[in-house]
Structures are given as structure tokens and as C-alpha cells.
Amino acid sequence: MDNKPLAHSAHDGVDSQPYREHVENVIGNKKVKGAVSRAEEAGAFSQKWGSALVTVVRTAASYHDLGKLDDFFQNILQYNRRDSKGFNHCDAGTAFLLRKKILEAALLVYSHHIGFPNMQAERAKNANGRNNLLRDESPFKEQEHYRHTDAHLEIYLKKHSLIFPGHQLALPETPPLFARSNLTRRIALSCLVDADHGDTARHYKKECDIANATPDLLPDKRLATLDAYVAGLAPSEEPADARERERLRIRQDIYATCRDALPADATRIVSCDSPVGTGKTTAVMAHLLRVAAKRGLRRIFVVLPFTNIIDQSVETYRKAVILPGEDPEAVVAAHHHKVEFSGENHATLRLLAQRWEAPIVVTTAVRFFETLAAKDTAALRNFHQISGSAVFIDETHAAMPVPLWPQMWRWIAELCDDWTCHFVLASGSLARFWTLPDFVMPAEQREIPRLVAEEKAAASFDYEKKRVCIKTLQGKKGPLLPRDELAKAVLAKPGPRLVIFNTVQSAAVFAHYLRDKKGENPGLVIEHLSTALSPADRSKTLERVRKRLRNGETNWVLVGTSCVEAGMDFSFHTGFRERASFASLLQVLGRVSRNGEYNDAVVWDFQHDASEYDLLSIHPHFKTSARVVGQLLEKYGAALTPEHCTEALLLEINQGTGDAEKMAREIRTAEDAINFPEVAKLCRLITSETQTVVVNQALIERFESGEKELFPSSREVMLNSVQVWENKLVDLPVKPIGFGRELLGISEGSYDGFLGYMKGLIPIIQGKSRGGWNF
């Protein structure tokens, strides 16, 4: 064997990488920022765990690839051979660290490729005297992996000591333990895998070095820039309209209040239930910058529930907090699957976003919260960036399913208490769930002050009551409206009009029905927006919607699903919301007369008749919450306000099936048992069983050509595909495509830019029904 052992083989025109170089890079040195530097930066914000984090990460980094010194594996690397035996190079470092009783570092080495294990299952491997915790019992050659490792471990260690002479890789005298903090374990693994996987990717030229490309937060300077931006939004002259003057004064008061709010150091979580249209986007950012300056925080996260509202927030921040000479994309990074990067530095900008390196990161609730619960290395790679951060959870009501909040709350509290984070929970329909024992155990409850005190917020809530009101549509024969009666009611109200349904099917059916009836109103325009459309077509629809609103068009209707109800900067004259949850109803209030343009703005709550003839469908998930909305409307009528959100949530819990409480207990039990895979599985924010269907015929033809060089990129596929529930795929005309036939392509004529994939489904659904109109 070559006297210079390798860590990575040569291929694709790139030379091999020596073992010593890779291990030194993963630990860290003057040229490369390694795992230790990442741990030191994260640990600087944790008095409780900082020192232990650095020690554990340094030890794991030193021995993470020890098994690569095996002669069998070196032969594979030296001669670029295939590993036909499935050799596990992680077992050796794990075995050595377990022998030294450095359990936390052993866990990191074990997990740095396959992710965290179920520690219950690992403890079971100690039964019957086997003592095989975290050891690989799979076969290798003629025996189990762990037996091969044990027989050769001293040889590996001798080679290792020759490569690193003089005790450069010293072991801790007192091995630290992270006790019950699985969150700290996730941060530790994040430090290791970011350094390890990053060095490998850079060696093979798959990533660039961004160590010197990250701007600093500079919160004081950015706050001054934000102040100037907000001041510039005010009109040069006082508005003549009294309502507009009131709205402007409220926005200015909210901004000043949030900006000047500096909670005591012990207060690390605050809430903001300021109503829609009061400028939370900039006001909360001002607060976060102020807190960051006072506490020396290094990063700000803005977490939003939907990708379609990330871009508008990013656009605002890139105008509001950028200093002279800065690249806006390097300072405010958008992290979601649809984001595009421009310019010569697009590769660097992509990494700044994906690795959460930028000083301000705007991401989705799915990416943020699933990272907290993650067990896989790819999902955890950027998690160490969270320490010492200020986090703005906007539209908190829509951040995640109810059962996930109890455990997420524990993690949020731990990040604040042990890692110097600061959270703002904000929504115009904020339920104060942390006050309910069903959500938060009494021992874990804490006082969460309002960022805008009640007396200050009173003016904004009074204005909200005057801005728009809630009414309920009644049909001729009762509360359930047939499709034609609902259509007449919608078109009879002043436009522009927004109609939101609970299901993709209902939205598509109603949009097509209205467009089919245009003969009675030749100038009528119908727009449709839901996940039945590909991201590319949704973007086109959104642009048309914004243009119609800017131009003041009135004779048109936007029919959609919940993807248009939260955070979108829309302002319609009249809104209609199929009865779902109280939070959903309140969110639609923010899309109607958003800036107080209309004196007679109404949001109509409605229920439709789900007859087979009408093809409108019912979403089973909203059965309990819709019943609660009806009870609240009957109890409070026009006096129903966002202040009733907590009452609505409590009613949903009490009237529910108990599934939410059961799932919350299961998550807590799995986390306490250190069962990482189960926690990650239970904490998925999106759990629907869907399949990707490509809808662009040009892309489908490129797949069907069979020539791999013509195959579309993953980004092209993402922009031109839809996610379809598996039970709908039975009826949707699709066919396998791709090199391995792993994708599905929709049949020609079964998709368009108006109805999306529902164009192919509605005729089939109609054929199964007892009637309906001619599609």
C-alpha cells in the first residue's frame, strides 16, 4: 500500500485526497474552517454546552474516518475500485471512542453518514453480553463488521499515530455528556458533517469555499438603514382621507413600538399579534436588529409558512437593510426549493442560502422546523448556524400541524435558554397556545410578553374592526349552498373578488364553472390558483393577479385554495372563505381591503353542498375546526375578532378526536427515548403521500428521447411538475418517464395553465358522478 493513505480516490479528473489532508481539514486549520471552528462559533453562545460541544466535536473529527486506514479500503481508494463488500469505515472510529468511553463523540462518528440512530434499538444490541452498542453487525467478508474492526483496530491506530505524531489528536480526560439534550447532539453532528461533507465536496470541486464570502450582521448599521427606509415610505403630505391617516399613524406607532422594545435579558420569547397590514415585516425586523445589537447575536432567521410569500419578504428586506456596496443576495438569503441565484457569484450565493451562512436567512417553516427534528446528515448540515440567532416565526398559526407544537416549543425554549436565541411569534391570528396545559406542561410554561402592549395594540384592533367585517352566506334552503347558488352570490358582490376553497378539486371545479358561465357576463375574468398548477404556472398567475389589482380592475374573480390566504400582499374588495378553521377565516381578512381602500369590505363565510352533481368536495381534516367556527360566529357574531383565537384552539382540542394529543405524546416519548428516526418521522410538517408528475410536454419529450444529455435538470423538473396525491393518480392519465422510469409524466391534453392537472381529472370525476355540467 502507498505510504500516504488516502481519504478519497481520484476520479472525474480530480486527484486523490490524502487521509492526513482530509482529517486536518475536517478538524480545521489556518486554511480551512473545520468542525472545531464551527463548534467554537456555535458554542460561544452556550455557557451550558459550549465547552463540551467543542471537545466532543474535536474528538469525533479526529477519528471520524479511522476505518479508511484498513488495507481493503485503501486498495479500493488507491485503484478506484468498487466497494463490493460494503465496507463500513465509520465502525473503527466508533469502536475506538466507545473503548475510551467517549460516548458522545462515538455517536457522532457512527452517525456522520447514515444519520442518528434509534438508541433504544442500539441499547438492545447490548443484550446477552454482546456489548455492541453503536457497532455494525452487518456481514463483511466471512464475519460481522464489528469483528473485523476489533481484529484490526490496533493496526488502524498505529497507522493513525504515524500520520499524526506527537499526540496531536489528544483525547479528553473527562469525556463530556450532553445528558438529555438531543438538540445539542444535533448541533454537534451538524458541525462535524458540515466540515466533513464540505471538504469532500470542495475537493471534488462540487462546492466553492465561502469562508470569506459571508457578510457580518452589523445590526446597528442595518437598523439605521431600515429606519431610513421606513421613514421614506411615509407620504410627503398628510393624506386627506381620515381612514388613511389613521392607518398610517397605526403603522408608524407599531414600527416605533417594536423597534424600541428591548426585553430584559431573561426574556427570550415574545409575541406579536398586531393585525394584518400594520407593517409587521419591517417592525419585527427592527426589533430583531435591536436585540441582536444588544446581545451580540450573529444571524436573523425569518420563517414563513409558504414559498409564495418568501419572495415578497425577501424583496422588502433587500431594499430595507442593505448597506452601500453590498450584494443584496449575499446579505438576505432566500432558502427554498424555487429560489434562483444570479450573477457571477451564483454558486457562492447558493451556498450562503443553503448553509444558512448569510446574516439574514428567509426560509420556510418546513425547512426550519424539520431541521430541528432531523436525524439525517443532509438535513442537519446547517443546523449549527442556529445558535446566537434571532428568529421571526411569521404567520405562526400556519407554521405547522397542531400536534407538533408541544415538542417544537420545548426545542424553542432550549434554544433560547441554552443557546442565546431570541424568538418572535407573530400572526394576525395568533393563538396563545403556550398558555394551554394541553400544549405546554405546567413546568414548561413561561410568560410570553407582547411586543406591542395591549393598550398600544388597542388602536390597531379598533381599526381592524372598521376595515372589514365577517358575515355568513345563507342559501335558499339553508346553510349549504349548491354550486350555482354560490356562483350567483359571488358574482353579485362588488369586485375584485377572492374565493377560497378547502380542496384543490373544489377550487378547480368552481373556477371552471364560473368561466363556463362567462356568456352571461362577457367581460368577466376568472383566475385560478392552487397546487394543481406547477410552480412555473403559479408564478405566471400571481403576476397577472398583481397586475389586475394594480390596474384597479373590478370585474374578475380569483378562485384558489389556502396557498393564497396567508401573507400575500393582495387587497380585494370582497372575500369568500369556505368554512375551515378560525385562523383561516381571519387570514382572509388580510386579503380584503388590506389598506382600508373600501368602506363596505366583507369576508363571507360559506359552506357548500357537496353533491355528486356539483363535484365540490369536502376536506375531512376541517370537520372539527369548521364546527368551532360556526359556534364562534353564533356566539359572537360581528364582535368576533382575532382575540378569540386561543378560545377557538381550545374548543378544537376539546371537541377533537384526541389524535392530536396522542401524537404529541408519541413525539415527546420518542425524543426522550433518543429515538431520532421516529422523531424525524413524526415531526414531518408535510405528510401527504404524493408523487411528482411532470406536466410540461417539452420536458416529457426530452425524457422520452432516451438521451441522458437532453434530460431536464432537477430545477426544470421542479418548476414544471406538480405533487399529486396517490389516490388521485389512479384516475389521472400519467405514464412513467425518465432513464429509470422513476418519474411520471402527464398525458398531453390533461394539463393546462388554468386548471392545472385538474383538467385531466375533472372529466373522469364527472363521469363517475350522477350528473354535473358538460366539462
Side-chain angles (χ1 to χ4, degrees):
M1 189 181 73
D2 193 313
N3 59 4
K4 277 192 174 182
L6 301 181
H8 299 109
S9 60
H11 61 75
D12 295 334
V14 180
D15 289 339
S16 58
Q17 184 182 33
Y19 177 85
R20 178 180 185 123
E21 176 187 303
H22 177 63
V23 173
E24 285 183 338
N25 288 350
V26 173
I27 296 170
N29 51 51
K30 291 181 179 180
K31 293 182 179 180
V32 179
K33 178 181 176 181
V36 174
S37 293
R38 289 166 167 81
E40 287 172 344
E41 290 177 359
F45 294 95
S46 180
Q47 187 175 6
K48 182 175 183 179
W49 298 117
S51 176
L53 178 73
V54 173
T55 299
V56 168
V57 169
R58 184 191 304 277
T59 306
S62 300
Y63 294 93
H64 77 286
D65 273 357
L66 182 65
K68 287 186 176 181
L69 296 175
D70 187 276
D71 285 347
F72 170 82
F73 202 72
Q74 282 299 305
N75 186 272
I76 289 172
L77 296 177
Q78 294 278 358
Y79 298 102
N80 228 332
R81 292 172 175 166
R82 190 169 64 89
D83 180 8
S84 60
K85 302 293 184 182
F87 181 76
N88 180 1
H89 72 271
C90 303
D91 192 53
T94 303
F96 172 64
L97 295 171
L98 285 172
R99 180 185 296 180
K100 296 295 183 180
K101 301 190 183 306
I102 311 176
L103 303 182
E104 299 291 359
L107 177 61
L108 298 191
V109 174
Y110 172 92
S111 307
H112 81 276
H113 283 295
I114 65 172
F116 279 127
N118 173 4
M119 290 304 293
Q120 287 178 308
E122 290 300 320
R123 293 187 194 99
K125 288 156 73 171
N126 278 350
N128 302 321
R130 285 186 299 163
N131 198 28
N132 276 349
L133 178 79
L134 298 177
R135 299 302 306 280
D136 188 346
E137 296 182 331
S138 65
F140 176 71
K141 293 185 176 180
E142 304 301 323
Q143 58 188 339
E144 294 95 337
H145 254 98
Y146 75 91
R147 295 187 189 277
H148 176 86
T149 298
D150 291 344
H152 295 80
L153 187 57
E154 293 303 325
I155 298 173
Y156 306 154
L157 291 169
K158 184 176 180 179
K159 293 178 180 179
H160 192 75
S161 65
L162 290 173
I163 297 169
F164 296 99
H167 306 288
Q168 292 183 35
L169 307 181
L171 298 173
E173 293 183 8
T174 306
L177 291 171
F178 295 141
R180 300 180 68 83
S181 180
N182 294 331
L183 186 143
T184 301
R185 293 185 176 97
R186 292 182 176 97
I187 291 175
L189 184 59
S190 172
C191 294
L192 177 61
V193 300
D194 195 21
D196 178 37
H197 299 187
D199 184 63
T200 302
R202 284 190 299 274
H203 174 74
Y204 286 120
K205 306 189 185 311
K206 299 289 180 63
E207 289 184 6
C208 56
D209 188 355
I210 59 173
N212 299 315
T214 307
D216 293 325
L217 181 57
L218 304 174
D220 284 325
K221 292 182 178 181
R222 296 198 195 282
L223 180 57
T225 302
L226 179 59
D227 286 342
Y229 170 81
V230 171
L233 296 177
S236 56
E237 297 181 2
E238 186 174 77
D241 182 74
R243 293 182 65 184
E244 178 59 21
R245 288 198 302 273
E246 183 181 9
R247 189 182 77 88
L248 179 62
R249 179 185 58 77
I250 289 170
R251 287 176 66 93
Q252 292 172 338
D253 285 349
I254 294 294
Y255 181 82
T257 300
C258 291
R259 183 203 185 281
D260 296 339
L262 265 182
D265 284 344
T267 300
R268 300 295 173 90
I269 309 175
V270 297
S271 66
C272 181
D273 53 4
S274 180
V276 65
T278 53
K280 288 193 293 293
T281 299
T282 51
V284 173
M285 177 58 72
H287 167 72
L288 296 179
L289 288 168
R290 189 87 189 278
V291 170
K294 180 185 178 185
R295 298 178 183 170
L297 305 185
R298 59 174 176 161
R299 187 165 287 110
I300 289 174
F301 288 91
V302 179
V303 182
L304 294 159
F306 307 115
T307 56
N308 56 3
I309 60 177
I310 284 182
D311 291 338
Q312 68 182 30
S313 294
V314 167
E315 182 180 1
T316 297
Y317 292 136
R318 286 178 179 168
K319 293 176 183 176
V321 299
I322 305 302
L323 304 178
E326 288 186 324
D327 184 343
E329 291 185 65
V331 175
V332 180
H335 184 213
H336 61 86
H337 66 285
K338 290 165 54 181
V339 68
E340 294 185 11
F341 301 92
S342 59
E344 296 179 358
N345 297 322
H346 64 91
T348 298
L349 295 172
R350 182 177 296 278
L351 283 180
L352 288 173
Q354 292 176 343
R355 300 290 166 252
W356 291 358
E357 293 272 2
I360 300 174
V361 178
V362 187
T363 189
T364 62
V366 171
R367 289 194 182 274
F368 185 84
F369 286 110
E370 287 192 357
T371 299
L372 266 66
K375 69 98 176 174
D376 292 323
T377 56
L380 282 170
R381 183 173 169 183
N382 49 6
F383 188 46
H384 61 92
Q385 308 284 11
I386 190 88
S387 72
S389 294
V391 185
F392 174 15
I393 310 296
D394 199 6
E395 309 295 355
T396 302
H397 71 281
M400 72 189 76
V402 167
L404 273 58
W405 265 117
Q407 180 57 51
M408 293 295 177
W409 183 254
R410 294 173 74 192
W411 286 325
I412 288 173
E414 186 175 353
L415 285 170
C416 292
D417 294 342
D418 296 344
W419 296 93
T420 321
C421 289
H422 179 79
F423 276 72
V424 178
L425 309 177
S427 173
S429 51
L430 184 64
R432 303 181 74 79
F433 60 85
W434 55 87
T435 65
L436 303 177
D438 301 85
F439 270 82
V440 181
M441 296 179 67
E444 297 171 351
Q445 289 183 354
R446 58 175 70 199
E447 183 66 27
I448 307 299
R450 283 183 162 93
L451 197 54
V452 181
E454 288 189 55
E455 58 273 17
K456 281 270 188 181
S460 63
F461 284 115
D462 288 342
Y463 174 81
E464 183 74 357
K465 294 173 184 176
K466 293 181 286 186
R467 182 180 63 83
V468 61
C469 66
I470 301 171
K471 295 182 180 180
T472 297
L473 276 179
Q474 290 290 333
K476 294 177 181 179
K477 297 182 179 179
L480 302 181
L481 281 78
R483 183 183 59 215
D484 59 345
E485 197 173 328
L486 177 60
K488 290 176 182 177
V490 167
L491 297 179
K493 307 303 179 188
R497 314 161 192 89
L498 172 65
V499 186
I500 297 179
F501 286 90
N502 291 338
T503 69
V504 168
Q505 177 176 319
S506 292
V509 165
F510 194 71
H512 185 271
Y513 181 80
L514 288 181
R515 195 166 72 165
D516 201 39
K517 297 293 182 182
K518 279 181 60 176
E520 303 168 12
N521 186 347
L524 179 67
V525 175
I526 308 299
E527 297 283 5
H528 168 240
L529 188 61
S530 80
T531 53
L533 297 166
S534 69
D537 284 328
R538 290 205 300 271
S539 294
K540 294 175 186 176
T541 303
L542 281 170
E543 184 52 41
R544 291 197 303 271
V545 167
R546 292 189 177 103
K547 185 176 180 180
R548 295 188 194 286
L549 290 171
R550 284 196 304 268
N551 293 343
E553 298 178 33
T554 58
N555 192 19
W556 66 286
V557 184
L558 172 60
V559 183
T561 57
S562 60
C563 68
V564 299
E565 77 181 10
M568 298 300 291
D569 192 8
F570 291 160
S571 188
F572 289 81
H573 193 149
T574 310
F576 299 81
R577 183 56 167 100
E578 180 184 354
R579 189 172 292 180
S581 68
F582 186 49
S584 293
L585 182 60
L586 292 178
Q587 282 301 308
V588 182
L589 298 180
R591 303 326 123 206
V592 175
S593 193
R594 183 177 178 86
N595 302 311
E597 305 96 322
Y598 306 105
N599 294 322
D600 57 346
V602 179
V603 167
W604 293 91
D605 157 68
F606 72 89
Q607 300 174 81
H608 62 71
D609 183 359
S611 70
E612 289 187 347
Y613 180 88
D614 283 350
L615 305 185
L616 301 178
S617 59
I618 296 293
H619 198 308
H621 175 76
F622 295 116
K623 182 177 180 181
T624 300
S625 58
R627 182 169 64 246
V628 167
V629 170
Q631 294 166 355
L632 291 173
L633 285 168
E634 185 175 350
K635 181 178 180 180
Y636 295 106
L640 190 61
T641 70
E643 294 165 304
H644 297 105
C645 283
T646 307
E647 180 182 353
L649 180 59
L650 186 59
L651 286 171
E652 285 187 39
I653 293 172
N654 291 339
Q655 296 180 27
T657 61
D659 290 344
E661 297 95 311
K662 179 184 176 184
M663 184 174 175
R665 287 194 300 270
E666 290 174 350
I667 295 171
R668 187 184 188 101
T669 299
E671 177 71 1
D672 289 345
I674 322 182
N675 186 346
F676 289 101
E678 185 68 7
V679 171
K681 175 185 173 183
L682 292 172
C683 287
R684 288 176 58 200
L685 272 67
I686 299 176
T687 58
S688 58
E689 296 299 326
T690 62
Q691 272 196 255
T692 299
V693 178
V694 181
V695 297
N696 183 294
Q697 291 302 314
L699 297 192
I700 293 172
E701 289 174 8
R702 285 162 62 184
F703 273 120
E704 293 186 319
S705 71
E707 300 180 37
K708 290 193 70 175
E709 62 272 14
L710 295 179
F711 280 15
S713 66
S714 58
R715 176 165 179 75
E716 287 180 292
V717 171
M718 180 275 296
L719 288 173
N720 294 281
S721 62
V722 292
Q723 297 297 314
V724 182
W725 288 71
E726 290 187 350
N727 64 336
K728 297 291 187 185
L729 284 173
V730 176
D731 295 323
L732 189 65
V734 295
K735 55 187 175 183
I737 58 173
F739 185 71
R741 320 298 281 175
E742 72 280 4
L743 289 173
L744 295 174
I746 200 162
S747 298
E748 192 167 1
S750 296
Y751 178 93
D752 65 21
F754 178 63
L755 292 179
Y757 70 77
M758 289 304 299
K759 181 183 180 183
L761 273 180
I762 290 177
I764 295 171
I765 296 170
Q766 184 184 22
K768 292 181 176 181
S769 73
R770 291 197 297 259
W773 88 105
N774 185 21
F775 184 74

